[in-house]
Each structure stands twice: as C-alpha cells, then as structure tokens.
Amino acid sequence: MTIRDQVLHAKDGLILYGTPMPSRILLGTAGYPSPAILAQAVTASEAGIVTVSLRRETAGGRTGTRFLELIAGLGVKVLPNTAGCRTAREAITTAEMARELFGTDWVKLEVIANDDTLQPDVYGLVEAAEALTHEGFKVFPYTTDDLSVAERLQRAGCDVIMPWAAPIGTGRGIVNRAALESLRAYFPDVTLIIDAGLGAPSHAAAAMELGFDAVLLNTAVAKAADPARMAAAFGAAVKAGRLGYEAGLMPPRDMAVPSTPVAGTPFFDLDPQTSDPQTSDTKTSDRKS
Amino acid sequence: MTPAGTIDLVLNGRPLASVARTVGDLVREQEFTDVRIATAVNGHFVPEARRATTALNPGDRVEIVAPRQGG
C-alpha cells in the first residue's frame, strides 16, 4: 500500500474502552438544517461515533423515537451526553436514563458551571465520574485543559479524557496550546480527545498534530453553509493532522536555514576582495532561498 | 383545587393533576406507551422494570425524556 493509499484509507487504530473505531473524529448531531443533512454529514465525516442527548418529551410525542430511528440507520455508535446538567446528581440521573434509552454504558459526561462560558464544573465532574464509573459506565468527561483535574478524572476511572480547545460553540480553535501540550506530554498513554471549540478544519488538524487521539465537534459542521462538505473537510483534516503527527513534525527554529544547498551557489566567491564589484557587498546570508 | 381522585404532580416542569398512582400509570395516561422514553422521579432514575411499582405521591416531580440531537 502506498503512502497515498494509507492517507486515503487510514484506519489507524483508535480504541475507546476496548472498542476499535473506524476514524478519529466524533460528530455531534445537533443544529443541522434537516435530518437528511445530518445523515449526509455523518457519512461524509466518516465518524464512527455520534453524540446524542435526551430531552423532555411531550405527551404522545414521537420526536425521540423518530430521531432514534434516523441514528440507527447510520450504523454508528452513539455517545449520549449529559448536556445542560448543573450538578453531579443531575448528570448521574441523566446518564442512567440515557443508558436505558440508548442501550449503551458510554456517556459523555458534562456538568456545566456557567451559562455564558459553558465551562465545566470540574468538582461536580469528578464527583459524577467517580459515581458513574462505580455503576459500570464508560465515562468520557468533557473537561477543561487543567492537568490536575485530568489527573483526578483518570483516578476516578476515566480511560478517556476530553479537554476543550475553547468554550462550546465558539469556534475559536485551540486557545491554550501550551496547556494542551502539557496534558499530552503528561498523559502519554491516556486517550485524549479534543472536545469543543473547534471552528475550522485547520483547528482539527492542529489538535491532531499535537498528538491528540481524536476530536469531537458539532457546531462547525452543523452551522456550515454546506454541512456535508464541511464534515468531509474535517474528516480529511483529522487524517492529515494525525499522519503529520505520526510522521514526526520538524521542530520550529528561531532563524532561517536555507533549504537549497549553499555549496556550489553560482556567482559566489569565497574571497570578497576578488569578486565582481557589483555583487561584492552581497552577504552570504542574502543568498538563501 | 385538585379534582376528585387526582393528585398534584409536576411533569416535565409543568403542574399536572393526575389520577395516576404509579409511574407506569402516568406513562399510560400521558400516551407514552409505544415510544422510547426514560423516567425519573424527584431526580432519581426509575428503570422501565420498576415503573409499575414506583408509587407517585402528591408533589412528586416526574421527568419523562426521549432521545434528541446532542453535541
């Protein structure tokens, strides 16, 4: 298989709680113009997991049942979230209801502290993660880039940790690159998924180049002018970023270094005294390109 | 005033006078019989298998939820 084939058909081994995944992108299902466009976007992204939620149903309503049928037709695994929960207790109950509804013990754990930032309440998050792990859940906690909190979550039994790039729905991309680099370096063997805040395919590629195992996004695809096309763009960016990380990125340098060999440069004289007067004041450093 | 034979509940955040005496009764009364739902009472999950035996008391806060899109 050529390198190009590897890029186009990368099945490069993300395993979540023992389950092999077909790709390194997880896609949210909210906010699409229509169910059909949601389905197209999921397919185009090559996501193997989609996030879902649960909400109050009106008497006699069939909205939830229809949505479940749509998702079942996509052949992907579902990751129910606890979006909107304010306390560990709310999140635990929501996870328990989600487990019965969706038939999975996987849960994207969210405990939200603040309406404006949607910042995780990390205290409630750790408390809920401990309780849910004890109940047999496989917890995917949505957290900040705080290393100490990640440590607590790992100790609580989380094999996967999902730090934010930026607050949910902002599309700002990686706000605190240094913190994410520290996380990656400190937890080389923990599965780390960048969740929230990615706005452009380049943001996803950057996250993958830092060595993160996967990305989870929603708004950037759902609110694009053409969600399916944007989903494909994110899918390609995730593959490119991962491949770049695996290939080994060159370290940045402070000063320019010529890529074209200097040896044998024409019109170049080692003794400035004997060179053509028109070029005699040209420094060697000006001859790099 | 609560109509005769009913109890005051809060269903999905709204007041409801209901003749239901169990979560299972309420699910049937509200026509959730052939749809996928999950239930909780006063913040605690009530599994499907326990709906029929989980009694409702005046003032209970009941949640009936279904799958939705999520991020």
Side-chain angles (χ1 to χ4, degrees):
Chain A
M1 185 180 271
T2 65
I3 293 290
R4 179 177 160 75
D5 287 339
Q6 288 177 32
V7 174
L8 293 177
H9 305 289
K11 304 284 186 196
D12 53 359
L14 175 66
I15 295 174
L16 299 175
Y17 286 105
T19 304
M21 291 293 125
S23 70
R24 291 178 179 273
I25 183 168
L26 294 76
L27 194 63
T29 56
Y32 291 80
S34 71
I37 292 174
L38 161 62
Q40 290 165 13
V42 171
T43 303
S45 72
E46 299 185 30
I49 306 177
V50 296
T51 52
V52 294
S53 72
L54 45 79
R55 287 291 178 262
R56 287 168 168 169
E57 188 73 294
T58 52
R62 301 193 59 81
T63 309
T65 301
R66 281 197 298 271
F67 174 64
L68 205 56
E69 288 166 0
L70 172 75
I71 295 300
L74 296 175
V76 292
K77 199 165 169 53
V78 295
L79 178 61
N81 70 27
T82 63
C85 290
R86 302 310 173 105
T87 64
R89 182 68 254 167
E90 287 179 14
I92 292 164
T93 300
T94 301
E96 290 167 339
M97 291 194 287
R99 178 161 62 180
E100 184 176 85
L101 263 185
F102 293 104
T104 177
D105 55 11
W106 287 16
V107 64
K108 174 184 166 181
L109 183 61
E110 297 183 41
V111 182
I112 299 300
N114 180 288
D115 276 342
D116 292 327
T117 63
L118 297 180
Q119 175 154 355
D121 171 357
V122 295
Y123 304 98
L125 186 68
V126 171
E127 181 187 342
E130 284 172 349
L132 289 170
T133 300
H134 189 69
E135 286 187 35
F137 281 89
K138 310 290 190 296
V139 179
F140 295 64
Y142 160 65
T143 185
T144 65
D145 48 33
D146 188 287
L147 199 150
S148 303
V149 173
E151 233 175 353
R152 295 288 185 89
L153 290 167
Q154 190 193 22
R155 237 181 284 154
C158 300
D159 286 357
V160 177
I161 295 172
M162 304 206 298
W164 65 0
I168 294 171
T170 60
R172 285 192 217 154
I174 294 172
V175 169
N176 192 345
R177 181 186 171 100
L180 290 177
E181 285 176 332
S182 295
L183 266 187
R184 182 68 286 178
Y186 195 77
F187 297 104
D189 300 321
V190 175
T191 300
L192 298 177
I193 298 174
I194 295 292
D195 176 14
L198 301 178
S202 56
H203 299 160
M208 299 307 293
E209 287 171 0
L210 290 178
F212 285 87
D213 295 282
V215 300
L216 195 170
L217 64 142
N218 189 153
T219 309
V221 169
K223 299 304 181 191
D226 184 339
R229 207 167 175 81
M230 186 61 81
F234 269 97
V238 166
K239 286 182 189 175
R242 177 67 187 180
L243 218 69
Y245 169 73
E246 289 175 353
L249 295 160
M250 64 166 281
R253 295 158 163 156
D254 289 335
M255 300 300 289
V257 178
S259 46
T260 306
V262 175
T265 305
F267 317 117
F268 180 74
D269 199 319
L270 290 174
D271 181 358
Q273 300 303 316
T274 63
S275 61
D276 183 323
Q278 286 190 324
T279 59
S280 62
D281 59 350
T282 303
K283 297 174 185 171
T284 54
S285 60
D286 292 334
R287 290 176 164 269
K288 296 164 183 172
S289 61
Chain B
M1 193 171 144
T2 305
T6 67
I7 55 173
D8 285 332
L9 302 171
V10 178
L11 173 60
N12 288 347
R14 293 171 182 271
L16 175 74
S18 172
V19 297
R21 289 293 178 268
T22 68
V23 176
D25 291 344
L26 185 65
V27 165
R28 277 189 298 279
E29 179 192 275
Q30 297 296 311
E31 300 174 11
F32 286 114
T33 41
D34 62 342
V35 292
R36 292 287 291 276
I37 54 155
T39 54
V41 176
N42 299 328
H44 294 278
F45 173 52
V46 177
E48 185 173 5
R50 290 217 309 265
R51 286 179 199 156
T53 55
T54 300
L56 289 174
N57 298 298
D60 279 351
R61 304 182 70 85
V62 183
E63 297 287 341
I64 298 181
V65 298
R68 282 292 188 283
Q69 298 84 347

